[in-house]
Amino acid sequence: MRFNTAKPLKSQAGTSSWGEHFQWIWYPRQGGQHWCCHWRVLGPGHGPALVLLHGFGAASGHWRYIAPKLAAYGWRVFSFDLLGFGDSDQPGLSQGGHLDNSVWGQQTSAFLQEIVQRPAVLVGNSLGGLTALTAAVLRPDQVRAVIAAPLPDPALIQSFPTRRSPQVRRLQRNLLSLLIKLLPLQLIVLFVAQNRLIRLGLQGAYTHCIANDFELQQLISRPVRRATAARALRAMSLGMSLRPRGVTAPALLDRLNNRVPLMLIWGRDDRFVPLAIGQKVIHQHSWIELAVIDACGHCPHDETPDLFLDVLLSWLGRNLTGSEPTGEAQKT
């Protein structure tokens, strides 16, 4: 068996513990290392599938406001913790090698095949948006549509340097690997794990004050305090730094090339990934739509959930045909 369904934990809708919770055992390679991944589901079993993908440092609980609303509209809402985050395993370099969006894209494709078992809409916040795009390129037959809110990738604003010799590339990779391996990430993670620092960092992602949102702070801080957090951060730092050109957002957008509908949702006041990046993307790819939410930062699904839901459902209604929920949300 590739997954187990331990007794589900039913939890209160509208909180970070929404949905029924399960564990899934993912085997990236047949007969190789396997990883335990936390996932959850909410909504009618017959509803069309929609998978929510969280951002960097977050977890599936970050969809606390959106998931129950989508389920009330008739969607079968799935979400899982990306490898290295939330309650999923946190592998290091010696366990699983580098962690980057190609790995998380493969995890998403495996989740669709083994758990969801039908094509689904992918909705991702930040890193989750990049992961959704990656999964759509890997297996477009599994993905009905992609919504990235927003789409982050340094490659979207930094052009690749002119082609270097293999010797120079190898030297640069080795130096970068050495630097990342020597960084005292255990001490850095312990320092960051202090509630005050996490709250300050989180505040940069929101336009409204989150000082009293203790649920949000706990959602982000608890995984950071795990003993394996530093090794996972090292694997991510190295993986994302040394990605091949083919798995950066510009290359993925070129490869997808309108085979799957794609929309970007951006907070106008996003301090982490400025709106200008989204505008540049749609200028280069006219088949992509961009929706902007005013008075909103990096997490529109959590900061302005009602506006986010309106934009999302309106776009899905225009771009998908067949088996979509219609009408108003069911009263609960």
Side-chain angles (χ1 to χ4, degrees), residues 11 13-14 18-20 40-44 67-69 71-72 75-78:
S11 35
W18 64 269
E20 294 182 72
R40 58 180 84 193
V41 65
L42 187 66
K69 294 176 184 290
W75 292 90
R76 182 68 165 171
V77 183
F78 297 84

Side-chain angles (χ1 to χ4, degrees), residues 48-126:
L50 186 147
V51 179
L52 300 171
L53 300 168
H54 64 80
F56 184 85
S60 51
H62 203 200
W63 297 98
R64 54 187 174 165
Y65 301 133
I66 290 296
K69 294 176 184 290
L70 285 168
Y73 272 96
W75 292 90
R76 182 68 165 171
V77 183
F78 297 84
S79 190
F80 64 92
D81 296 345
L82 298 171
L83 201 62
F85 298 102
D87 289 327
S88 290
D89 280 346
Q90 296 179 318
L93 294 173
S94 60
Q95 290 79 28
H98 302 172
L99 286 177
D100 61 20
N101 58 291
S102 66
V103 174
W104 295 311
Q106 292 168 31
Q107 183 187 9
T108 304
S109 293
F111 184 81
L112 289 171
Q113 180 175 338
E114 299 178 23
I115 304 297
V116 180
Q117 298 184 347
R118 58 188 187 271
V121 173
L122 301 183
V123 182
N125 168 236
S126 193

Side-chain angles (χ1 to χ4, degrees), residues 79 148 181 188 224 233 250:
S79 190
K181 289 176 181 178
I188 294 173
V224 177
L233 178 59

Side-chain angles (χ1 to χ4, degrees), residues 29 32-35 83 90-99 180-181 186 227-228 230-236 238-239:
R29 291 173 294 276
Q33 179 70 59
H34 62 274
W35 304 109
L83 201 62
Q90 296 179 318
L93 294 173
S94 60
Q95 290 79 28
H98 302 172
L99 286 177
I180 292 175
K181 289 176 181 178
Q186 290 85 350
T228 49
R231 75 180 191 186
L233 178 59
R234 198 180 304 277
M236 294 175 205
L238 198 58

Side-chain angles (χ1 to χ4, degrees), residues 44-320:
H46 63 275
L50 186 147
V51 179
L52 300 171
L53 300 168
H54 64 80
F56 184 85
S60 51
H62 203 200
W63 297 98
R64 54 187 174 165
Y65 301 133
I66 290 296
K69 294 176 184 290
L70 285 168
Y73 272 96
W75 292 90
R76 182 68 165 171
V77 183
F78 297 84
S79 190
F80 64 92
D81 296 345
L82 298 171
L83 201 62
F85 298 102
D87 289 327
S88 290
D89 280 346
Q90 296 179 318
L93 294 173
S94 60
Q95 290 79 28
H98 302 172
L99 286 177
D100 61 20
N101 58 291
S102 66
V103 174
W104 295 311
Q106 292 168 31
Q107 183 187 9
T108 304
S109 293
F111 184 81
L112 289 171
Q113 180 175 338
E114 299 178 23
I115 304 297
V116 180
Q117 298 184 347
R118 58 188 187 271
V121 173
L122 301 183
V123 182
N125 168 236
S126 193
L127 177 64
L130 179 60
T131 297
L133 171 61
T134 308
V137 170
L138 290 174
R139 288 292 304 274
D141 58 302
Q142 294 179 323
V143 180
R144 301 184 65 199
V146 170
I147 296 88
L151 180 64
D153 196 322
L156 289 170
I157 54 176
Q158 298 174 352
S159 58
F160 281 96
T162 56
R163 192 163 186 83
R164 298 152 297 179
S165 69
Q167 293 81 6
V168 171
R169 293 201 306 272
R170 190 180 307 114
L171 177 61
Q172 291 176 329
R173 290 174 66 90
N174 289 340
L175 289 174
L176 182 58
S177 298
L178 180 63
L179 174 62
I180 292 175
K181 289 176 181 178
L182 290 177
L183 281 174
L185 289 181
Q186 290 85 350
L187 297 177
I188 294 173
V189 168
L190 285 174
F191 183 66
V192 171
Q194 300 177 50
N195 281 335
R196 184 172 181 274
L197 290 176
I198 287 179
R199 185 169 68 248
L200 288 174
L202 266 176
Q203 188 59 71
Y206 289 77
T207 60
H208 72 261
C209 180
I210 54 102
N212 295 322
D213 193 340
F214 301 112
E215 181 183 56
L216 175 63
Q217 296 170 40
Q218 179 67 12
L219 171 74
I220 303 299
S221 64
R222 188 171 58 83
V224 177
R225 297 193 184 101
R226 291 171 60 185
T228 49
R231 75 180 191 186
L233 178 59
R234 198 180 304 277
M236 294 175 205
S237 300
L238 198 58
M240 292 299 289
S241 299
L242 300 180
R243 289 178 302 161
R245 184 192 303 248
V247 295
T248 60
L252 291 169
L253 290 170
D254 287 340
R255 290 169 64 186
L256 190 62
N257 194 26
N258 205 20
R259 288 187 293 167
V260 175
L262 171 61
M263 178 177 66
L264 307 178
I265 302 179
W266 232 277
R268 187 175 297 279
D269 301 318
D270 192 332
R271 302 183 187 97
F272 290 172
V273 187
L275 174 59
I277 295 176
Q279 294 169 331
K280 179 180 177 181
V281 169
I282 63 168
H283 177 74
Q284 296 173 337
H285 302 276
S286 59
W287 55 276
I288 299 174
E289 292 188 40
L290 171 64
V292 180
I293 298 180
D294 291 329
C296 179
H298 189 62
C299 304
H301 66 291
D302 196 59
E303 187 167 21
T304 55
D306 290 331
L307 287 175
F308 181 89
L309 189 70
D310 288 344
V311 170
L312 173 65
L313 294 180
S314 175
W315 184 81
L316 288 175
R318 297 194 311 272
N319 288 273
L320 296 185

